[in-house]
Amino acid sequence: MIEVQNLKKSYGIHEVLKDIDLHVKKNEVVCIIGPSGSGKSTLLRCLNGLESATAGSISIEKVELTNKKANINKIRENIGMVFQSFNLFPNLSVLKNITLAPMYIKKLKNGEAEHLALNLLGQVGLREKANVNPDTLSGGQKQRVAIARALAMQPNIMLFDEPTSALDPEMVGEVLNVMKKLAKEGMTMVVVTHEMGFAREVSDRVLFMEDGRIIEEGSPEQIFEKPTQKRTQSFLEKVL
Amino acid sequence: MDFFKLFEASLPALLAGLVLTLKIISVGIIVAVIIGLVLGIINVGHNKILKLIAKLYIDLVRGTPLLVQVFFIYFGLPSVLNFKLDAMLAGIIAIGINASAYISEIIRAGIKSIDSGQMEAARSLGLPYGVSMRKVILPQAFKRMIPPLVNQFIISLKDTSILSSIGVIELTSSGQIIIASSFKAFQVWIMVGILYFMVIEILTLLSSRLERWVS
Ligand SMILES: Nc1ncnc2c1ncn2[C@@H]1O[C@H](COP(=O)(O)OP(=O)(O)O)[C@@H](O)[C@H]1O
Ligand SMILES: [Mg+2]
């Protein structure tokens, strides 16, 4: 589904991603952990073209995103992204946040789009919030709406960039539960997270990143129980 | 009592001048907003050549006096291009072009003030740049642009008095004409001032209404 080869990304002389290789299979849930500033967000943002690669190639479902002729909008329709800071549109109601993209891109009629949106809101437990302004929601509710919005384009891949890092502790669970449900339904997911419990429980594979490289990867048991790299060990000692 | 007689006698002419002032400013500001919007969007975009052209335009307009611009459009251009330009039309063009440079900056700043995560979220859904701009960024930016836009509107409204110099019989010019026959400079300029002041007060009032309404 996702094929990343020799990906490099620099900002000026600062090389943020150094030779990243990553392959994500259909239905796989991959969690990326690592210290702040290690390039996790940058990697994720390269996967849907929010950042352009300096070198290397990225293919999403066999379509090469790093090709200049690639239709980036088309590729993005198939990749949902959830941000740490929610980024809901405050000028639109919760419902309109969700219906905007399907109506514009898939040309859904108003009724169809609303039906879809209400369904998704139901799945994240917020059906009754359809007509409120997003500013009135709690952080956990905002993030659940953001997930519903990303799902409205019926993507095959979902990217999550620290989706619970901006939340009060008591709201982390409600968001993680929605993500767990998605994972169970077979969604292909790449999740940057500091929630080690979630990574351990849900992911098929865990990547540890530091300093722009993937230092170690393996099953959750392997990474959390017997990491082979010193840097992974010392990171886990600090966070666990 | 003298004042009220003068007031009564002058009012129709002054009001006619005011109407012309309002006509010029309303068309001028529409021209300005359209050009300003285009320039503002070019300025937050990535096309280097368009950005350079926009910068040149904005710098030229901001770097020269309005009166020079008015003379250039009314006397300068027609003299080399061999055409006649109606004074009022020249005034509208000058006011429109002049305000557009300032408005483009207001629009650019308004767009820039919206968190970049908004554009990223819209684009990550697969929405094209233009739709993201129209549906997500501009509606939010517009709210923040209202006060500086109204401010520019007021400045441009007052700037129309400069058009008296090319023979447009707007409010200021109407005042001059009345003084030429009545010799009552003190009283007439007070009347002219009050008329400008009233219009601007009403505008200010409307704008705070508008601000409250959108939020
Ligand atoms: N737009 C940018 N311009 C310059 N440097 C950036 C930019 N975005 C990220 N960086 C730098 O890239 C590095 C990796 O950032 P990021 O991918 O956000 O790390 P992480 O998500 O792992 O905390 C950091 O050193 C950060 O300062
Ligand atoms: Mg990050």
Side-chain angles (χ1 to χ4, degrees):
Chain A
M1 275 238 157
I2 304 175
E3 300 279 329
V4 178
Q5 266 167 356
N6 307 110
L7 172 66
K8 292 185 178 147
K9 173 70 186 174
S10 306
Y11 292 108
I13 53 160
H14 183 28
E15 196 170 43
V16 174
L17 295 178
K18 303 165 183 167
D19 215 9
I20 299 276
D21 282 286
L22 170 67
H23 306 275
V24 181
K25 294 195 285 283
K26 196 168 164 34
N27 304 336
E28 203 178 11
V29 177
V30 174
C31 281
I32 303 176
I33 60 172
S36 132
S38 57
K40 306 181 298 295
S41 296
T42 306
L43 171 57
L44 215 59
R45 292 159 58 82
C46 283
L47 294 183
N48 73 348
L50 283 182
E51 302 291 346
S52 57
T54 307
S57 75
I58 300 170
S59 295
I60 307 291
E61 296 192 283
K62 305 246 160 33
V63 182
E64 200 183 328
L65 182 141
T66 32
N67 185 331
K68 287 230 160 15
K69 288 192 206 108
N71 182 346
I72 187 69
N73 292 334
K74 201 82 204 149
I75 297 172
R76 282 175 179 150
E77 288 173 24
N78 205 16
I79 310 176
M81 180 143 185
V82 175
F83 301 83
Q84 179 177 344
S85 50
F86 326 124
N87 296 341
L88 293 180
F89 309 135
N91 57 312
L92 301 173
S93 70
V94 164
L95 193 76
K96 287 271 188 300
N97 262 270
I98 301 174
T99 58
L100 179 67
M103 284 180 70
Y104 257 90
I105 299 166
K106 294 194 169 164
K107 308 286 176 214
L108 290 196
K109 299 248 169 18
N110 204 16
E112 298 170 297
E114 284 184 6
H115 184 72
L116 169 76
L118 287 171
N119 245 329
L120 287 166
L121 280 174
Q123 284 174 38
V124 299
L126 290 170
R127 212 186 156 99
E128 77 285 358
K129 297 288 186 187
N131 294 312
V132 309
N133 185 283
D135 286 338
T136 64
L137 300 177
S138 72
Q141 291 171 331
K142 281 181 186 163
Q143 198 59 299
R144 285 186 281 153
V145 171
I147 293 173
R149 178 176 70 179
L151 289 173
M153 286 303 294
Q154 292 163 320
N156 292 334
I157 299 167
M158 286 285 285
L159 308 176
F160 293 85
D161 190 1
E162 299 195 29
T164 59
S165 293
L167 299 179
D168 291 335
E170 74 270 19
M171 292 172 186
V172 169
E174 63 193 63
V175 172
L176 292 182
N177 283 337
V178 170
M179 292 169 64
K180 282 177 196 166
K181 208 165 79 183
L182 262 182
K184 269 210 199 82
E185 288 163 6
M187 178 63 78
T188 307
M189 294 165 50
V190 181
V191 184
V192 174
T193 187
H194 292 298
E195 294 294 329
M196 298 303 155
F198 175 84
R200 195 186 286 227
E201 184 188 332
V202 180
S203 57
D204 300 302
R205 195 142 54 94
V206 177
L207 309 183
F208 171 69
M209 271 183 81
E210 193 176 274
D211 197 19
R213 291 180 205 281
I214 297 173
I215 305 290
E216 185 167 2
E217 63 175 289
S219 68
E221 296 75 34
Q222 186 189 325
I223 297 290
F224 289 111
E225 310 297 341
K226 35 187 189 303
T228 58
Q229 300 292 315
K230 261 228 147 58
R231 296 208 262 181
T232 318
Q233 289 163 7
S234 70
F235 174 75
L236 288 173
E237 269 165 29
K238 268 182 246 154
V239 298
L240 289 179
Chain B
M1 272 297 98
D2 200 26
F3 183 84
F4 288 102
K5 266 214 185 100
L6 181 70
F7 180 76
E8 250 190 298
S10 322
L11 197 59
L14 288 179
L15 282 182
L18 179 62
V19 167
L20 200 60
T21 290
L22 293 177
K23 273 188 191 158
I24 292 167
I25 189 62
S26 11
V27 184
I29 213 77
I30 291 170
V31 172
V33 167
I34 292 169
I35 302 176
L37 191 63
V38 172
L39 292 174
I41 286 175
I42 285 173
N43 261 327
V44 294
H46 298 288
N47 189 320
K48 291 219 169 72
I49 297 166
L50 287 178
K51 274 173 105 156
L52 198 71
I53 296 171
K55 183 174 161 29
L56 199 67
Y57 174 96
I58 293 166
D59 285 357
L60 272 175
V61 173
R62 296 211 298 183
T64 51
L66 175 59
L67 187 59
V68 173
Q69 293 163 13
V70 170
F71 285 165
F72 179 74
I73 289 168
Y74 186 58
F75 300 118
L77 282 181
S79 74
V80 291
L81 299 176
N82 265 321
F83 66 99
K84 266 193 113 113
L85 194 54
D86 174 63
M88 176 157 152
L89 185 60
I92 289 172
I93 294 171
I95 293 287
I97 286 178
N98 185 268
S100 73
Y102 297 95
I103 287 178
S104 78
E105 286 296 292
I106 292 169
I107 289 173
R108 186 191 62 81
I111 293 172
K112 284 273 182 202
S113 76
I114 304 301
D115 182 75
S116 60
Q118 292 288 308
M119 181 55 99
E120 288 177 355
R123 297 307 307 278
S124 74
L125 289 166
L127 291 168
Y129 179 82
V131 176
S132 310
M133 207 46 151
R134 250 189 11 255
K135 288 287 165 178
V136 176
I137 307 298
L138 286 178
Q140 295 180 56
F142 180 66
K143 274 192 201 175
R144 302 186 187 178
M145 292 176 205
I146 292 173
L149 278 178
V150 170
N151 192 37
Q152 181 57 45
F153 190 88
I154 290 171
I155 291 171
S156 293
L157 174 73
K158 292 188 286 190
D159 280 349
T160 56
S161 67
I162 275 181
L163 302 179
S164 58
S165 63
I166 55 168
V168 179
I169 319 285
E170 41 65 70
L171 181 53
T172 300
S173 185
S174 309
Q176 285 173 325
I177 291 168
I178 295 165
I179 292 165
S181 58
S182 70
F183 306 105
K184 298 273 197 273
F186 180 79
Q187 294 86 332
V188 173
W189 287 129
I190 284 181
M191 286 187 239
V192 169
I194 287 173
L195 285 176
Y196 277 118
F197 181 76
M198 273 169 33
V199 171
I200 287 165
E201 278 301 292
I202 291 169
L203 271 176
T204 311
L205 210 77
L206 286 179
S207 96
S208 47
R209 283 268 171 86
L210 183 63
E211 261 178 85
R212 242 175 297 144
W213 181 70
V214 293
S215 61

